[in-house]
Amino acid sequence: MNRCNVLLFRAVKDSGQVDPYIEVLNKQGLIAACISPLSFDFVNLEPLYLALQCPERFSGIILTSPRAVEAIQKAHENCASEADMSTCCGAAWKQLPAFVVSKATAEAATRLSFSTYGEDSGSAEALAPLIVKALPTDSKPLLFPCGNLRREVLPQKLAEHGIGLHTLTVYHTTANPRLEESLLGHIQEKGGKYYLKNWPNMVLVYIH
């Protein structure tokens, strides 16, 4: 019996990282793969790098997506001298809290040696009370590298408690310009019939 192919519309994991959805589907006897429906363009990497060189200006950092962590790594790779390439996060940043929304973001931040908090919060809105509890109202601002589609919920809630942010838009989210090409290529490669199914936060394509 031929195994069913499943194509997931979700962000593709970096090389060496295991996608939990792929892992679960494979255990069920399915052949699963991912195509990202989105594309990310990184911007303002030099201002981000300069901010990261001054941890004494901040009480910590907020990272609400793995892309924000990726921007930090790219900023370091693009802007640091060869002498500074050994680590993205200096000892001073390790002593400051890195508030994160999800486990995926926490894992990415930990690889850069940040000390993460809040990975079980699940949303920026739920992260706000944790930050408010952790920081006094007269604390230094938090560095907040984020995407162009970020919501204002977190900044507003923190502002209500006197906690300031140094916000930098470090990536733009756009539609993947090669989505149709990738989808058709995958279907042609696997052949057979296919149908679409909505799943929480993604779309699946089944190919028989």
Side-chain angles (χ1 to χ4, degrees):
M1 182 178 178
N2 292 332
R3 296 171 66 188
C4 179
N5 290 277
V6 180
L7 186 59
L8 288 71
F9 284 73
R10 62 183 266 107
V12 178
K13 292 288 185 180
D14 294 332
S15 177
Q17 293 182 260
V18 178
D19 188 297
Y21 291 93
I22 296 287
E23 189 173 30
V24 169
L25 291 169
N26 286 344
K27 288 180 179 179
Q28 297 300 315
L30 303 171
I31 303 173
C34 290
I35 290 181
S36 177
L38 302 175
S39 178
F40 302 97
D41 300 319
F42 293 92
V43 297
N44 295 323
L45 296 183
E46 185 173 356
L48 174 59
Y49 176 76
L50 293 175
L52 291 167
Q53 300 312 297
C54 304
E56 69 280 359
R57 293 172 47 198
F58 305 101
S59 59
I61 188 169
I62 298 176
L63 301 167
T64 55
S65 75
R67 299 301 160 217
V69 181
E70 187 177 353
I72 291 174
Q73 186 166 4
K74 287 185 177 294
H76 191 79
E77 293 171 351
N78 292 351
C79 302
S81 65
E82 291 186 7
D84 295 331
M85 285 299 290
S86 59
T87 179
C88 291
C89 171
W93 277 109
K94 295 178 186 179
Q95 303 303 315
L96 297 175
F99 298 103
V100 300
V101 164
S102 66
K103 291 185 178 181
T105 305
E107 290 173 0
T110 299
R111 287 194 291 271
L112 297 189
S113 299
F114 284 103
S115 301
T116 61
Y117 302 87
E119 65 180 57
D120 295 322
S121 57
S123 69
E125 184 175 5
L127 183 65
L130 187 153
I131 297 174
V132 170
K133 184 177 180 179
L135 299 179
T137 55
D138 59 348
S139 61
K140 298 175 184 177
L142 290 160
L143 181 58
F144 185 27
C146 57
N148 63 312
L149 300 181
R150 72 171 176 85
R151 299 171 58 196
E152 294 298 323
V153 174
L154 181 59
Q156 289 174 354
K157 286 187 174 295
L158 295 181
E160 290 171 1
H161 292 84
I163 298 176
L165 297 177
H166 179 70
T167 303
L168 285 172
T169 299
V170 294
Y171 66 92
H172 291 165
T173 303
T174 59
N176 182 354
R178 300 186 59 187
L179 177 59
E180 182 178 359
E181 175 186 342
S182 299
L183 174 58
L184 292 177
H186 191 91
I187 292 175
Q188 289 171 0
E189 177 186 347
K190 300 300 180 182
K193 300 177 182 179
Y194 66 93
Y195 65 92
L196 300 177
K197 177 178 175 60
N198 288 324
W199 213 22
N201 302 321
M202 72 184 80
V203 175
L204 288 75
V205 177
Y206 291 85
I207 307 173
H208 296 277

